Amino acid sequence: MAHLKKNTRGSVPGLAVHFERKTDHHTNKEIDVSKTYLNQDLMTDGSDMLSRFNARLNDVYCMKRDDVKALATWIVTLPEELSEAPYEQQSAFFEATTTFLNDRYGQENAVAAVVHYDETTPHLHYAFVPVVFDDKKARYKVSAKEVLTRHDLQTFHEDLDQHLKKVLPFYEQGILNNKTLPFENVTEIKKYNDQLNALKTELADVEENITAKKALLKITDQALTEVDLAEKQIDDFKQDLSKNLFGKTVLKPDDLDRFKSVLATMKKATLQSQNETEELKQTLGQVKAQLAGIQSDYQNLKETHQALQKRQRDLQQLDYAMRDMLKNDYGVDKLSHTDVEARYVLYKLDHDELTKNKKTAKSWLTTLTTVREDTDTKISLTRLDQGIEQVKALINRIIELARDIFKGPSI
């Protein structure tokens, strides 16, 4: 499974610290420092990520804006089928993946290729500057939008899968990715992936909120402790002062100075206790209540997250079964992404699950028309033609309905 992220220039130093393990104080608790020695740096020029990044930016044009996506990063996770494979095979998988990425995005643009074995699942961090040639100005420029197009992202997993199957004899099942799933499973898997990502973000926010609340609790408890300490000092002083000689209280000069000091502390503590203690106690109670609520929400999110992960694993197993059936029973090695999208549209049409949205209907028409022009499509042309006519009729009905609504009742 591979995931892409586009990053601004300002985030590069922090990414470099994480990729190259430049600190011993990791915020990621999953990092096992005893395994860090297993990590691999597949860049062999002896430089580091930040130096390579700055050097590449000096060679090309990049807009001087903070929001420019000047670095793209792919995270490619080791497939489950290789989780028990020897270290040499796992290493070969990541090296072959890096070769594929260098060929796809240009080795001269690569700034990092690091394999982490010291986390839960081995994975590759590949970072590169997205560079294209500007024909109008005859120069190379940074443009993530032009490099990481929709087509590039749609074909990425399938292209990587085919490359790995060619160069790695032990690589058989292939990477899991919803874009290569058959038929209507594409939309369902994507829905669960989106929900999983949203949950992960929400979990991170909850954890951050819990950390902040705990910090506030610590500060509040410390303030209350200081008040208690001042009261104890007063009690100790009173006990010392009560000592007498022949029934008379004895007050020495240094006792007087101490008394003045303690009295000042007492006044300060008294004012604090009167003005702040109740408020702090109330705040402490509120924070504890909020923390309990947050922890409850956190547990619910974790359970939902686990349920979604199980659902995703079930669908991935269905994907294995479907691909096996297609290959061994029907002789189909793979389905293109466009064929999958078209079959999804045809499924909707066959089951009268029609959209009422004009934009969606037009996207259906584009999908079917594109596949109709594809000479490699596995779908019957007659079926595609029927589907195209159905969608055209659907678009006309949506337009007529909208026109009648805006026209209003006749007078």
Side-chain angles (χ1 to χ4, degrees), residues 208-232:
E208 184 177 351
N209 199 358
I210 288 176
T211 301
K213 296 298 185 184
K214 286 182 177 178
L216 180 57
L217 281 173
K218 184 177 180 180
I219 294 172
T220 306
D221 285 336
Q222 183 178 356
L224 291 174
T225 301
E226 289 177 356
V227 172
D228 292 339
L229 181 61
E231 292 176 347
K232 186 177 183 303

Side-chain angles (χ1 to χ4, degrees), residues 169-223:
F170 56 83
Y171 180 82
E172 297 176 355
Q173 291 182 327
I175 58 175
L176 296 177
N177 175 21
N178 59 49
K179 294 187 182 301
T180 59
L181 293 176
F183 314 126
E184 64 273 9
N185 288 337
V186 173
T187 299
E188 192 169 3
I189 284 285
K190 183 179 185 303
K191 178 184 71 175
Y192 283 104
N193 276 340
D194 291 344
Q195 290 181 16
L196 280 173
N197 291 333
L199 272 175
K200 287 177 182 177
T201 301
E202 193 169 350
L203 281 171
D205 291 342
V206 168
E207 288 175 337
E208 184 177 351
N209 199 358
I210 288 176
T211 301
K213 296 298 185 184
K214 286 182 177 178
L216 180 57
L217 281 173
K218 184 177 180 180
I219 294 172
T220 306
D221 285 336
Q222 183 178 356

